[in-house]
Amino acid sequence: MMREINASIPFDKRLWRQDIAGSKAHAAMLRAQGILSADDVAAILDGLAKIEAEYAGGGLVEDLALEDIHMHVETRLAELIGPAAGRLHTARSRNDQVATDFRLWVRDAIDAIDAGLASLQAALLARAEEHAETIIPGFTHLQVAQPVTLGHHLMAYVEMARRDRGRFRDARARLNECPLGSAALAGTSFPLDRQATAATLGFDRPTANSLDSVSDRDFALEFLSAAALTGLHLSRLAEEIIIWASQPYGFIALPDAYSTGSSIMPQKRNPDAAELVRGHSGRLLGAFQALAVTMKGLPLAYSKDMQDDKEPVFQSYDTLALCLAAMTGMVETLTFRTDRMRAAAASGFSTATDLADWLVREGGVPFREAHHITGRAVKAAEAAGCDLAELPLATLQGIDARIDERVYGVLTVEASVASRTSYGGTSPAGVRARIADAKTELGL
Ligand code: ARG
């Protein structure tokens, strides 16, 4: 039981590349500082290269008695080169070792997620460009509110992804300090060159406090929180895809590749991929919660509780990478049913605000009064069973004499979206301009 509860090798074997890279950097520095002999370091580096080749070929043999990846590498090194292996751990502890390995791993994970987010942005941008003028209903409270363009709607998710990438970028910048050389908790009496190991491993600088270095997991928590927020955004888009694909909406058709059938109802095409992206966001939020709660009560410096930092991060990375790929694929391949979208956009008197705005602009009516007049026009249209644009001029003038035939120029959904030219608004011209900005920013 002790072996089982103590061991992390079943999951921390994913750190093997980072562990070997850290050991190489440490050994080379020990040599340069005259702490180890040239012969010993040559043997160590040679042995590490052999282990790297073995592990790359799937040759890592798990042994719970060896606890973790650090002991596995060190034990294998001893088998290969004998007693010199025991000198590698000079001026080092597994505490600074694991902190270094894990930072290196999270740094790569951030870079991979950033690439996934960039691909999603590119997919959204391409569809937004295609549909810069396509009209869909804009909702508030999931009630038809005002017509907007599909391009504008999709670009909203490009903005979310831009902020997500910013959060990962910020986390990466703070993460990029090297704990190696902090040893167990107090630093070491050996004359290390921490600048050198930091530079070799691509870090900006060594960490400044040895106690903090071995007990800080902010970098993992920041990764998890950025992943949780990204997952939350993906979940909102997934939810829209699910709603839009339902028959009463019928705004989109999902390709077969991203739908599944039912075992009993032959006609069904379920948006399972979108539902799982929505569902998985719960796991991403939970992973942040799990590690935050693990960390919150820990005194300085290292405690074994911290071994539980890895699984939430590995699982969140895998989950998020898969969700990003699935969402990108869905965005690239779904079909927009523009006729259904336009019809829905014209429903619910969605151009009522345009009538009120017209009264303000052309009739000099105060907005609150215009709002009231428009409400009466909506009631009249409702009673007549028609659209605002279909009300006879006589009816409109019966409601307010200041209305004239020019009002019909603003009551269509096309006129409505075209008029929304304020910066950041839904007009096709504005959407095209924002798409151009985003493409420049993304180097597309
Ligand atoms: N497997 C351990 C972890 O992941 C490595 C550090 C162990 N340090 C120790 N003092 N027991 O946290």
Side-chain angles (χ1 to χ4, degrees), residues 8 12 68 70 94-95 98 302 304 306-307 309-310:
S8 53
D12 73 10
D68 54 27
H70 324 295
R94 278 187 292 162
N95 296 349
V98 71
Y302 178 86
K304 195 67 173 255
M306 291 165 66
Q307 184 162 281
D309 58 359
K310 289 164 208 72

Side-chain angles (χ1 to χ4, degrees), residues 3 7 9 44 85 117 139 217 256 277 285 294 318 356 364 410 423:
R3 267 200 298 277
I9 189 63
I44 289 168
L117 277 164
F139 298 92
R217 292 296 181 271
D256 286 339
V277 168
L285 287 157
T294 294
D318 292 341
V410 304
Y423 181 84

Side-chain angles (χ1 to χ4, degrees), residues 358 361-363 393 397 402-411:
W358 185 88
R361 209 169 43 241
E362 305 297 331
L393 186 59
Q397 288 178 332
R402 287 168 288 191
I403 299 176
D404 63 45
E405 69 290 337
R406 291 173 302 153
V407 78
Y408 292 104
V410 304
L411 293 181

Side-chain angles (χ1 to χ4, degrees), residues 325-366:
M327 186 53 85
T328 303
M330 279 188 275
V331 168
E332 280 168 347
T333 54
L334 55 81
T335 308
F336 292 106
R337 298 176 61 188
T338 54
D339 51 332
R340 300 267 313 178
M341 290 176 160
R342 195 202 172 283
S347 72
F349 314 108
S350 65
T351 57
T353 316
D354 298 275
L355 172 54
D357 285 351
W358 185 88
L359 282 161
V360 170
R361 209 169 43 241
E362 305 297 331
V365 182

Side-chain angles (χ1 to χ4, degrees), residues 197-236:
T197 40
T200 305
L201 295 169
F203 287 107
D204 296 329
R205 64 192 77 85
T207 51
N209 181 294
S210 61
L211 289 169
D212 181 49
S213 304
V214 296
S215 63
D216 164 44
R217 292 296 181 271
D218 287 3
F219 63 93
L221 285 165
E222 287 195 46
F223 174 82
L224 290 174
S225 94
L229 264 180
T230 304
L232 183 154
H233 292 149
L234 293 178
S235 179
R236 295 184 73 178

Side-chain angles (χ1 to χ4, degrees), residues 60-339:
L60 192 159
V61 184
E62 270 179 62
D63 178 358
L64 292 190
L66 292 176
E67 284 189 40
D68 54 27
I69 185 62
H70 324 295
M71 297 302 292
H72 276 71
V73 173
E74 192 178 325
T75 304
R76 183 67 188 134
L77 189 63
E79 285 168 9
L80 290 171
I81 69 166
R87 298 190 189 279
L88 171 60
H89 214 51
T90 310
R92 188 176 76 170
S93 151
R94 278 187 292 162
N95 296 349
D96 60 337
Q97 200 178 350
V98 71
T100 305
D101 294 0
F102 200 25
R103 280 186 193 235
L104 288 171
W105 195 93
V106 172
R107 195 172 70 185
D108 286 348
I110 287 175
D111 293 344
I113 295 296
D114 184 66
L117 277 164
S119 299
L120 176 61
Q121 284 180 310
L124 287 163
L125 269 170
R127 301 312 301 269
E129 196 159 34
E130 199 183 310
H131 291 286
E133 285 185 30
T134 301
I135 289 171
I136 63 164
F139 298 92
T140 62
H141 314 268
L142 201 54
Q143 304 283 315
V144 172
Q146 292 173 348
V148 296
T149 54
L150 176 55
H152 196 51
H153 194 113
L154 295 173
M155 286 299 288
Y157 288 96
V158 173
E159 290 298 308
M160 289 179 232
R162 188 173 60 77
R163 293 194 295 276
D164 290 332
R165 293 181 70 189
R167 274 181 282 272
F168 280 111
R169 200 162 42 238
D170 291 349
R172 192 192 198 283
R174 266 188 299 280
L175 162 157
N176 210 28
E177 297 183 345
C178 187
L180 194 61
S182 301
L185 74 164
T188 171
S189 56
F190 290 94
L192 301 186
D193 183 351
R194 291 193 60 208
Q195 265 75 17
T197 40
T200 305
L201 295 169
F203 287 107
D204 296 329
R205 64 192 77 85
T207 51
N209 181 294
S210 61
L211 289 169
D212 181 49
S213 304
V214 296
S215 63
D216 164 44
R217 292 296 181 271
D218 287 3
F219 63 93
L221 285 165
E222 287 195 46
F223 174 82
L224 290 174
S225 94
L229 264 180
T230 304
L232 183 154
H233 292 149
L234 293 178
S235 179
R236 295 184 73 178
L237 179 52
E239 170 71 355
E240 299 210 294
I241 288 174
I242 293 159
I243 292 175
W244 288 0
S246 76
Q247 286 76 5
Y249 273 79
F251 284 6
I252 58 173
L254 273 174
D256 286 339
Y258 290 95
S259 334
T260 56
S262 153
S263 55
I264 178 168
M265 297 166 284
Q267 85 286 9
K268 288 284 288 228
R269 262 159 72 122
N270 297 325
D272 289 35
E275 290 172 279
L276 287 163
V277 168
R278 184 178 61 182
H280 286 353
S281 68
R283 300 192 349 203
L284 295 169
L285 287 157
F288 173 82
Q289 171 89 341
L291 184 56
V293 173
T294 294
M295 293 303 298
K296 72 172 272 298
L298 299 186
L300 296 180
Y302 178 86
S303 297
K304 195 67 173 255
D305 315 42
M306 291 165 66
Q307 184 162 281
D308 280 348
D309 58 359
K310 289 164 208 72
E311 284 167 293
V313 170
F314 292 155
Q315 287 164 7
S316 284
Y317 169 76
D318 292 341
T319 300
L320 184 56
L322 183 59
C323 288
L324 280 169
M327 186 53 85
T328 303
M330 279 188 275
V331 168
E332 280 168 347
T333 54
L334 55 81
T335 308
F336 292 106
R337 298 176 61 188
T338 54
D339 51 332

